[in-house]
Amino acid sequence: MNASDEIADISQALRTQTVECLDYLILEGSPSGYVQFPSPWEPDMLPGELPAELFSEAVSNEYLEAPYKLSAKQESTLRKLGWNDPGDVSSATIVSATSPNWWRVFPLGSDDRFHEIAVAAHATLVEVYGHQGTLVITMAD
């Protein structure tokens, strides 16, 4: 599958996860990296309503095995792609905790943004984690 097809699949999965209130969307690149999106739904949201933001995490060294640990250069690339270091995520308006993973908040608000978020997630898998093989998309409710 080429990058354009993978990005289209990610975009569709993001929309499905958001609209259908699924708990998690996990994008697993080969050989080791993943980007995940927990459910953005809040109890006061109406069916079909899109949240203003999507919170996302990219796997950190805490969960990567020795041959796949991120180098300083890979961590620098994460920062350049807009990811925040693992730790305090209280500055994110939709969560108030800590994350052991790299994290990022994507503005949403409209269907058009799903494609842009998919492009960013795919770039992370390719540029940081070296994704080249089959992309695995998992949705859980």
Side-chain angles (χ1 to χ4, degrees):
M1 186 178 294
N2 65 37
S4 295
D5 290 339
E6 288 183 337
I7 290 167
D9 288 350
I10 294 168
S11 180
Q12 182 57 47
L14 282 165
R15 186 174 199 308
T16 299
Q17 184 233 6
T18 303
V19 171
E20 295 183 12
C21 310
L22 301 177
D23 287 340
Y24 264 89
L25 169 65
I26 302 170
L27 310 171
E28 296 177 78
S30 152
S32 67
Y34 67 82
V35 173
Q36 62 187 5
F37 295 83
S39 176
W41 280 90
E42 297 293 330
D44 61 342
M45 292 179 68
L46 300 171
E49 181 181 1
L50 293 178
E53 302 173 322
L54 289 180
F55 179 78
S56 182
E57 294 178 302
V59 66
S60 72
N61 282 339
E62 184 166 330
Y63 299 107
L64 292 170
E65 301 209 12
Y68 302 111
K69 297 265 186 205
L70 298 171
S71 66
K73 182 178 178 182
Q74 288 169 297
E75 290 181 341
S76 176
T77 301
L78 279 163
R79 288 183 195 97
K80 288 177 186 171
L81 290 171
W83 293 91
N84 297 288
D85 287 35
D88 183 12
V89 298
S90 61
S91 63
T93 58
I94 57 175
V95 292
S96 59
T98 60
S99 174
N101 288 315
W102 292 82
W103 62 276
R104 183 172 175 181
V105 176
F106 292 96
L108 186 57
S110 74
D111 273 350
D112 298 339
R113 294 286 299 150
F114 288 118
H115 178 76
E116 295 171 36
I117 297 167
V119 168
H122 190 267
T124 299
L125 291 171
V126 171
E127 295 177 32
V128 176
Y129 300 102
H131 167 64
Q132 296 178 17
T134 303
L135 177 69
V136 177
I137 299 176
T138 305
M139 288 185 269
D141 56 357

